[in-house]
Amino acid sequence: MAETGTASTRADGGVRSIARAVEVLELFDAQHPIRQLRELVTLTGLPKTTVVRLLATLESLSLITDRGDSSYGPGPGFLRWVQLAKSLWEVSSETRTTMSGLVDTCGETVNVYIRQGLNRIAVAQVEGTATVRSVVEVGVPYPLATGATAKILLGGAPEEILHELVSRRPDLSLEPLRREVAGIREAGYAVTHGERELGASAVAAPITNADGRIVAALSVSGPTSRFNADRVGRYVDAVTSAAERISATGLGPVEVFL
Amino acid sequence: MAETGTASTRADGGVRSIARAVEVLELFDAQHPIRQLRELVTLTGLPKTTVVRLLATLESLSLITDRGDSSYGPGPGFLRWVQLAKSLWEVSSETRTTMSGLVDTCGETVNVYIRQGLNRIAVAQVEGTATVRSVVEVGVPYPLATGATAKILLGGAPEEILHELVSRRPDLSLEPLRREVAGIREAGYAVTHGERELGASAVAAPITNADGRIVAALSVSGPTSRFNADRVGRYVDAVTSAAERISATGLGPVEVFL
């Protein structure tokens, strides 16, 4: 199939190449700003020649920098989008202040998630104070099917998103999911334990825009061991009132996309 | 050729797809955070079906956001690289202070450029105070053949870079370029008028690392009308002494790549 060279095959090849290039770029993060070629080969599972070709292409576009000793880092070309992405997807300083206040109250990491298609993405984060803390990366897509913020965001998603999600996840059924989402929407908050990852808990509440539509989810998340019944009660209070405050003052520039 | 579907054609197709995807993403900047589909088609010169396919691929990777009315913006997926690119390519706060001082002295936009392969890229910028001012975008590759910072950076580049540059630019000859670069290196600064763009002038000086190697170029740039003989003398003094100060205190985190 891949050898026929028809227009559609080439189109798919193009899509695959772009996805692979992004996959390589995604291997660089705060913990791994520099990667060896052999790491990139192992982590992508791609042939070395393919990885070398991807790196050369990305380097010619200034998106990868070659340090000359078979080690690579993200290139300076990203700087052109730094200000842009920040200015477009940033939350307001008032929102950030409310998020910091929530960290002070709960001690746990606070995130604002938005929905993009069938994913949820954290666009703002204030880290918790404990050594063992929830770490999700800002800008990284997570599935919309699991986790407290996913359930909140589904409450604001069009009906067809639920259908599409269920059609892609054989472990989900439409009716139970719809009931759960409606229930959470009515309650005004969600509490999950180990849904996305064993040992990780979260409390989330909806952020609404001026029309009352759910545009984002505010969460505190951390190790399940600290999310006991006593604390969860306090967290629900703190998260829902912080989310209401953000809804009242406005989330920030990011709202134009939501 | 493109229709044969051999391994090498598909490889080239992959490279081309990645380049096209980046080309689309590069159309978004501070002045154009949102673009209409028809603008993207016109500006890329690609068939509409190709642009739509590229946008769909980039959206699935969270690098493009579809606003639902045939308008698009850079996606929140960029946020994952924002902190990383900033932390890797950032100059020190001392460097930034020196740059701001240079803006105060000259009134013109100040940039720090580095070399990446056959390109130069601004990694830090402090904008000038005049209404008519030099605007280059941080993170955007410019050719290494023209402009004051290019000539400074060539003074720190390996001999093979000069050869490669000349082999790709029929308008350049090795010996004159080598002489010019050596002369500028000896003088310790470069002044250019209209080299890259008619009406744009710049004064640049080298930033060196602890080993005395040229790792970056500091520049003031603006309209040629303001770069008269009297002012240029002052600018040369101000830029060279600011570059020396930065060289003495260190450029910042970005140095590990240079």
Side-chain angles (χ1 to χ4, degrees), chain B residues 189 191 193 203 226-237:
Chain B
Y189 67 90
V191 181
H193 302 291
V203 172
R226 286 204 298 263
F227 276 61
N228 58 28
D230 174 49
R231 281 188 180 137
V232 159
R234 287 197 296 116
Y235 291 178
V236 168
D237 279 351

Side-chain angles (χ1 to χ4, degrees), chain A residues 3 10 14 17 25 74 81 89, chain B residues 3 10 14 17 25 74 81 89:
Chain A
E3 305 299 321
R10 280 183 291 116
S17 296
L25 292 172
W81 293 299
W89 294 99
Chain B
E3 305 299 320
R10 280 182 290 117
S17 295
L25 292 172
W81 292 299
W89 294 98

Side-chain angles (χ1 to χ4, degrees), chain A residues 88-111:
Chain A
L88 290 175
W89 294 99
E90 190 56 303
V91 299
S92 66
S93 60
E94 290 87 346
T95 297
R96 211 161 261 284
T97 304
T98 303
M99 291 172 72
S100 297
L102 194 52
V103 171
D104 293 342
T105 308
C106 305
E108 305 289 355
T109 298
V110 171
N111 281 286

Side-chain angles (χ1 to χ4, degrees), chain B residues 82-235:
Chain B
V82 163
Q83 267 316 110
L84 189 59
K86 265 190 68 176
S87 64
L88 289 177
W89 294 98
E90 189 57 300
V91 299
S92 67
S93 60
E94 290 88 346
T95 297
R96 212 162 260 285
T97 304
T98 302
M99 292 172 72
S100 297
L102 194 53
V103 172
D104 294 342
T105 307
C106 306
E108 305 290 354
T109 298
V110 171
N111 281 286
V112 169
Y113 278 88
I114 59 159
R115 183 179 69 80
Q116 285 278 296
L118 295 178
N119 294 311
R120 60 187 169 105
I121 293 187
V123 293
Q125 181 174 82
V126 180
E127 281 197 66
T129 50
T131 310
V132 176
R133 65 176 86 145
S134 170
V135 273
V136 299
E137 271 193 89
V138 170
V140 176
Y142 289 94
L144 196 57
T146 50
T149 55
K151 300 294 162 59
I152 296 289
L153 291 170
L154 281 173
E159 175 74 12
E160 59 260 35
I161 292 292
L162 253 76
H163 285 265
E164 214 174 317
L165 197 62
V166 169
S167 75
R168 296 194 186 194
R169 301 265 309 218
D171 56 325
L172 294 178
S173 310
L174 186 60
E175 274 316 311
L177 183 63
R178 210 203 304 254
R179 265 200 312 278
E180 186 187 5
V181 168
I184 284 169
R185 195 180 165 137
E186 199 187 334
Y189 67 90
V191 181
T192 56
H193 302 291
E195 255 196 36
R196 183 180 61 82
E197 189 184 298
L198 192 65
S201 292
V203 172
I207 294 169
T208 53
N209 68 2
D211 305 334
R213 196 164 53 79
I214 297 171
V215 291
L218 179 72
S219 70
V220 296
S221 55
T224 300
S225 55
R226 286 204 298 263
F227 276 61
N228 58 28
D230 174 49
R231 281 188 180 137
V232 159
R234 287 197 296 116
Y235 291 178

Side-chain angles (χ1 to χ4, degrees), chain A residues 2-7 9-19 21-22 25-34 53-54 57-67 72-86 88-90 114 116-117 119 121-124 137-141 256-257, chain B residues 2-7 9-19 21-22 25-34 53-54 57-67 72-86 88-90 114 116-117 119 121-124 137-141 256-257:
Chain A
E3 305 299 321
T4 58
T6 64
T9 306
R10 280 183 291 116
D12 292 343
V15 168
R16 196 186 52 205
S17 296
I18 295 167
V22 173
L25 292 172
E26 285 176 352
L27 294 174
F28 297 90
D29 57 31
Q31 280 71 50
H32 311 91
I34 306 292
R53 198 176 61 233
L54 285 171
T57 303
L58 291 168
E59 195 193 349
S60 73
L61 299 163
S62 296
L63 296 178
I64 278 287
T65 194
D66 179 351
R67 299 183 73 212
Y72 298 86
F78 277 109
L79 292 173
R80 75 188 301 158
W81 293 299
V82 164
Q83 266 318 110
L84 188 59
K86 267 190 69 176
L88 290 175
W89 294 99
E90 190 56 303
I114 59 160
Q116 285 279 295
N119 293 312
I121 293 188
V123 292
E137 271 192 89
V138 170
V140 176
V256 301
F257 288 114
Chain B
E3 305 299 320
T4 58
T6 62
T9 307
R10 280 182 290 117
D12 292 343
V15 168
R16 196 185 53 207
S17 295
I18 295 168
V22 172
L25 292 172
E26 285 176 350
L27 294 173
F28 298 91
D29 57 32
Q31 280 72 49
H32 311 90
I34 306 292
R53 197 176 63 231
L54 284 171
T57 303
L58 290 167
E59 194 193 351
S60 74
L61 298 164
S62 297
L63 296 178
I64 278 285
T65 194
D66 179 350
R67 300 183 72 212
Y72 298 84
F78 277 109
L79 291 173
R80 76 187 300 159
W81 292 299
V82 163
Q83 267 316 110
L84 189 59
K86 265 190 68 176
L88 289 177
W89 294 98
E90 189 57 300
I114 59 159
Q116 285 278 296
N119 294 311
I121 293 187
V123 293
E137 271 193 89
V138 170
V140 176
V256 301
F257 287 114

